[in-house]
């Protein structure tokens, strides 16, 4: 079966293609449209579809719209209730629901030849769950989904057996861990439904002194559900205006909310294990992008294995919806092969882009060794290799790389990217070396956990050590990422350090670089020393001589 998955209603529109149970392609619309998160999550944008990413998925596989067996839409308007009945202040929600109901005709217009009767509504949290369990390496697993909202709930707990979901608990709106965290994000002067990861970073600078007050509003109910609403944020700390300096009160409020989130998640995980048993937990939903909480679950929870969908936010529901329908059709979904499911270009296509841009470039004997040499000289490298990543993390395909042994490189990269000074950058390390430097869940290929940095290494790789002594690492498997592994080994030969700084290839407010034009534009506008694009090297010194 050929199944195209679509996420469109709230935010992070995306498309994914599953053929005979195999994940063939998946990409977020923002990488094509160059609009961060694709659109804002407001009812007036709910009609917008991931047309560009959907067309690319089909073109990549050589499939015409009329040849699709099904198109999934990761929201079922038939399960929704009026917003006011759910305790939500969203007067325009009926407009959003109307757009959802009409999505089959919108999709048929966007993809000429598609039969609208082939569009299938998949419940939002079922799509999230299917992006985790069946996509993971674990055939049978418990699954936990937490986000802002779906049709009428904010949470699903269940178990997968042979690709089939058994739902054990849900939490009705308005109680929502995701919405609580979104409210805090807005209160602290960041962009709601976008900048929640900044709150997580800020939390490391604070103390959880507001935890008793927050527990009154955020706590488990003992039946697999929870209460999460009604926090008077202003009574705890004053609101922060956008661009205003943060204070210790703001950091303490972030730390307290992070702490209560972790407490509640651990309670939910223990309840789920009591109901579902097993050794593996899979997770999805926007809350699953909280890598600090994920690490607490891995360290203190009852599961031997914890696997988090790399596109855990709403973008992942495009893949989950397609995998869910594949399972319903008796096709056993295969684990996703990795996060590099987006666009890629051949060497000759890249050469053509460079020739067209009329920039001087070279083709070194080994681009990995050339990059290792530049990094050892303390250069900043834009790394553009292979297919783009699905999800928000740069995982060695669209990355900015730097020397981890220079403490000033944290400030340097945050300046290059236009980011807040309190935000950390991440280390990339070979999987077979990670245990020497880091303590935490290993391997960690998708950068979705934090790890304690060994004390003897903290002064050697200061650029990647957060204020609390942790790092959000990416482990590199040489069999899956031979080029990245070769670069890491070349850097260690020159410096004695088996780690390289890895952060996403973009600047503030812009989506991650995706195509060669994006890479050249980013290289031209940011103080980057070398662009490694396929086997070619573009050096700033030659371009701007």
């Amino acid at each position: 079966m050929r199944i195209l998955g679509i996420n469109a209603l709230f935010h992070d529109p995306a498309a994914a293609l599953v053929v005979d149970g195999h994940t063939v392609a998946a990409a977020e619309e923002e990488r094509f449209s160059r609009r961060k998160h694709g659109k804002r999550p407001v009812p007036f944008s709910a009609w917008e579809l991931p047309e560009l990413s959907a067309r690319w998925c089909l073109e990549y596989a050589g499939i015409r719209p009329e040849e699709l067996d099904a198109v999934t839409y990761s929201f079922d308007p038939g399960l929704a209730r009026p917003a006011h009945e759910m305790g939500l202040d969203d007067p325009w929600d009926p407009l959003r629901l109307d757009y959802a109901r009409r999505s089959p005709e919108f999709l048929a217009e966007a993809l000429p030849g598609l039969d609208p009767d082939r569009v299938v509504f998949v419940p939002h949290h079922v799509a999230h769950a299917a992006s985790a369990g069946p996509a993971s390496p674990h055939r049978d697993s418990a699954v936990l989904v937490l986000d802002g909202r779906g049709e009428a709930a904010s949470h699903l707990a269940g178990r997968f057996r042979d690709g089939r979901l058994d739902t054990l608990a849900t939490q009705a709106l308005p109680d929502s861990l995701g919405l609580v965290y979104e409210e805090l994000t807005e209160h602290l002067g960041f962009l709601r439904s976008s900048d929640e990861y900044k709150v997580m970073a800020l939390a490391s600078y604070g103390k959880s002194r507001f935890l008793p007050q927050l527990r009154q509003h955020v706590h488990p109910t003992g039946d697999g559900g929870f209460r999460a609403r009604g926090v008077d944020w202003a009574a705890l700390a004053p609101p922060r205006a956008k661009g205003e300096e943060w204070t210790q009160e703001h950091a303490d409020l972030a730390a307290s909310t992070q702490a209560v989130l972790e407490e509640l998640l651990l309670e939910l995980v223990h309840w789920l294990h009591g109901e579902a048993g097993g050794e593996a937990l899979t997770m999805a939903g926007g809350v699953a992008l909280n890598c600090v909480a994920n690490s607490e679950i891995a360290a203190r929870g009852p599961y031997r294995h914890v696997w988090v969908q790399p596109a855990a936010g709403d973008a992942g529901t495009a893949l989950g919806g397609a995998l869910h329908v594949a399972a319903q059709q008796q096709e056993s979904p295969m684990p996703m092969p990795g996060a590099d499911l987006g666009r890629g270009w051949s060497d000759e296509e890249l050469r053509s882009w460079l020739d067209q841009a009329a920039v001087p470039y070279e083709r070194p004997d080994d681009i990995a060794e050339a990059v290792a040499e530049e990094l050892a000289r303390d250069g900043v490298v834009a790394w553009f290799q292979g297919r783009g990543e699905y999800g928000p993390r740069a995982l060695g395909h669209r990355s900015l790389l730097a020397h981890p042994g220079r403490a000033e490189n944290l400030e340097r990269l945050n300046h290059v990217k236009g980011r807040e000074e309190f935000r950390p950058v991440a280390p990339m390390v070979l999987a077979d070396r990670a245990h020497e430097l880091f303590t935490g869940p290993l391997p960690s290929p998708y950068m979705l956990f934090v790890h304690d940095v060994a004390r003897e290494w903290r002064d050697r790789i200061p650029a990647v050590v957060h204020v609390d002594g942790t790092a959000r690492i990416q482990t590199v498997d040489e069999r899956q990422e031979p080029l990245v592994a070769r670069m890491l080994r070349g850097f260690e030969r020159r410096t004695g350090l088996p780690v390289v700084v890895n952060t996403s290839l973009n600047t503030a407010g812009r989506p991650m670089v995706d195509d060669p034009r994006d890479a050249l534009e980013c290289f031209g506008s940011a103080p980057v020393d070398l662009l490694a694009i396929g086997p070619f090297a573009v050096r700033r010194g030659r371009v701007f001589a």
Side-chain angles (χ1 to χ4, degrees):
M1 282 191 71
R2 293 155 293 194
I3 307 169
L4 179 68
I6 296 290
N7 171 63
L9 194 66
F10 294 113
H11 51 82
D12 295 300
L17 184 66
V18 172
V19 178
D20 297 333
H22 293 266
T23 301
V24 173
E28 292 156 85
E29 189 73 0
E30 68 164 25
R31 310 293 166 85
F32 297 79
S33 68
R34 311 308 298 158
R35 295 166 59 195
K36 187 72 171 175
H37 295 295
K39 61 182 181 180
R40 291 300 297 148
V42 295
F44 303 99
S45 72
W47 64 272
E48 296 183 42
L49 296 168
E51 298 183 27
L52 300 175
S53 51
R55 290 172 189 157
W56 171 76
C57 285
L58 296 180
E59 290 168 5
Y60 176 78
I63 295 173
R64 298 190 303 274
E66 58 268 29
E67 296 175 324
L68 289 167
D69 296 292
V71 176
T72 65
Y73 187 86
S74 57
F75 186 91
D76 186 349
L79 300 178
R81 296 165 49 208
H84 69 275
E85 289 185 9
M86 297 186 292
L88 300 177
D89 182 15
D90 195 351
W92 288 100
D93 196 50
L95 181 65
R96 178 187 282 120
L97 296 182
D98 185 51
Y99 286 147
R101 294 185 193 99
R102 298 176 60 189
S103 59
E105 58 191 273
F106 290 157
L107 283 162
E109 184 176 346
L111 302 172
L114 173 67
D115 182 351
D117 290 338
R118 296 190 177 177
V119 177
V120 179
F121 293 119
V122 177
H124 187 69
H125 291 115
V126 170
H128 267 309
S131 79
S136 80
H138 307 289
R139 183 65 183 169
D140 297 325
S141 70
V143 62
L144 184 67
V145 173
L146 291 137
D147 65 359
R149 62 165 293 193
E151 293 85 359
S154 67
H155 155 253
L156 179 150
R159 64 184 163 207
F160 276 100
R161 289 178 178 167
D162 295 323
R164 299 295 181 129
L165 174 66
D166 179 15
T167 299
L168 300 174
T170 62
Q171 177 56 58
L173 292 165
D175 293 293
S176 168
L177 272 176
L179 291 182
V180 164
Y181 217 88
E182 286 183 19
E183 289 172 6
L184 173 63
T185 300
E186 187 172 49
H187 184 75
L188 293 178
F190 302 118
L191 184 60
R192 183 174 182 152
S193 296
S194 174
D195 292 347
E196 282 70 26
Y197 58 95
K198 297 181 183 181
V199 175
M200 183 182 67
L202 183 60
S204 297
Y205 290 82
K207 298 186 181 300
S208 53
R209 61 188 178 95
F210 300 117
L211 188 53
Q213 296 95 313
L214 288 173
R215 284 174 176 152
Q216 298 175 29
H217 303 280
V218 181
H219 54 80
T221 53
D223 57 357
F226 53 87
R227 176 186 169 90
R229 57 182 152 122
V231 179
D232 184 353
W233 301 105
L236 301 175
R240 170 184 168 270
K242 181 180 179 180
E244 185 177 78
E245 289 295 319
W246 59 272
T247 68
Q248 192 58 51
E249 281 184 294
H250 296 133
D252 289 348
L253 185 54
S256 302
T257 306
Q258 178 68 28
V260 79
L261 171 79
E262 292 168 17
E263 283 186 353
L264 179 47
L265 287 175
L266 278 169
E267 289 285 344
L268 295 177
V269 166
H270 280 284
W271 180 90
L272 177 56
H273 187 260
E275 296 292 318
E279 293 191 332
L281 172 69
T282 58
M283 297 172 61
V287 175
L289 291 172
N290 192 304
C291 56
V292 178
N294 294 345
S295 296
E296 283 292 298
I297 290 170
R300 300 172 56 196
Y303 289 96
R304 182 179 176 188
H305 306 289
V306 179
W307 189 90
V308 183
Q309 164 59 243
D314 274 9
T317 64
L319 175 60
L323 292 174
H324 173 71
V325 169
Q328 284 188 320
Q329 298 301 315
Q330 308 302 318
E331 292 186 343
S332 296
M334 301 299 293
M336 61 188 292
D340 53 332
L341 297 168
R343 290 188 288 180
W345 285 263
S346 69
D347 293 351
E348 285 310 305
E349 287 172 326
L350 292 174
R351 184 191 293 275
S352 177
W353 274 94
L354 294 170
D355 288 339
Q356 187 176 2
V359 296
Y361 64 91
E362 61 194 73
R363 183 168 186 163
D365 292 338
D366 186 346
I367 190 66
E369 289 291 337
V371 166
E373 182 68 28
E374 183 65 38
L375 292 171
R377 289 197 299 260
D378 202 26
V380 174
V381 174
W383 176 267
F384 183 102
Q385 303 293 336
R387 296 176 66 179
E389 295 96 339
Y390 183 42
R393 306 283 191 250
L395 301 169
H397 294 259
R398 304 290 186 269
S399 294
L400 272 175
L401 308 177
H403 196 307
R406 314 265 196 253
E408 58 271 21
N409 277 346
L410 171 59
E411 182 179 353
R412 181 183 179 191
L413 285 172
N414 280 339
H415 173 70
V416 168
K417 291 166 63 72
R419 306 193 324 168
E420 295 83 359
E421 81 287 349
F422 61 81
R423 290 175 52 194
V425 290
M428 172 191 285
V429 61
L430 283 168
D432 61 5
R433 301 293 305 281
H435 68 279
E436 301 172 29
L437 290 80
F438 307 104
T439 302
L442 294 172
S444 182
Y446 298 134
M447 210 183 285
L448 285 166
F449 300 90
V450 296
H451 296 69
D452 291 322
V453 183
R455 289 195 175 278
E456 62 269 27
W457 279 96
R458 291 181 186 180
D459 290 337
R460 298 186 65 186
I461 52 172
V464 297
V465 182
H466 198 29
V467 66
D468 58 2
T470 66
R472 188 187 68 200
I473 77 170
Q474 178 201 351
T475 57
V476 175
D477 186 325
E478 195 160 12
R479 295 165 299 179
Q480 295 179 315
E481 299 286 353
L483 183 66
V484 178
R486 204 159 66 244
M487 178 271 295
L488 285 167
R489 294 200 188 280
F491 182 74
E492 184 176 14
R493 282 200 310 274
R494 291 167 171 85
T495 65
L497 302 176
V499 167
V500 163
V501 176
N502 171 30
T503 188
S504 57
L505 183 52
N506 66 325
T507 52
R510 301 277 293 169
M512 201 185 305
V513 159
D514 193 61
D515 74 10
R517 184 191 302 275
D518 305 333
L520 287 162
E521 288 179 351
C522 187
F523 175 75
S525 63
V528 174
D529 299 292
L530 185 148
L531 167 63
I533 181 166
F536 306 106
V538 183
R539 299 184 184 276
R540 176 162 296 275
R542 293 189 61 196
V543 173
F544 298 100

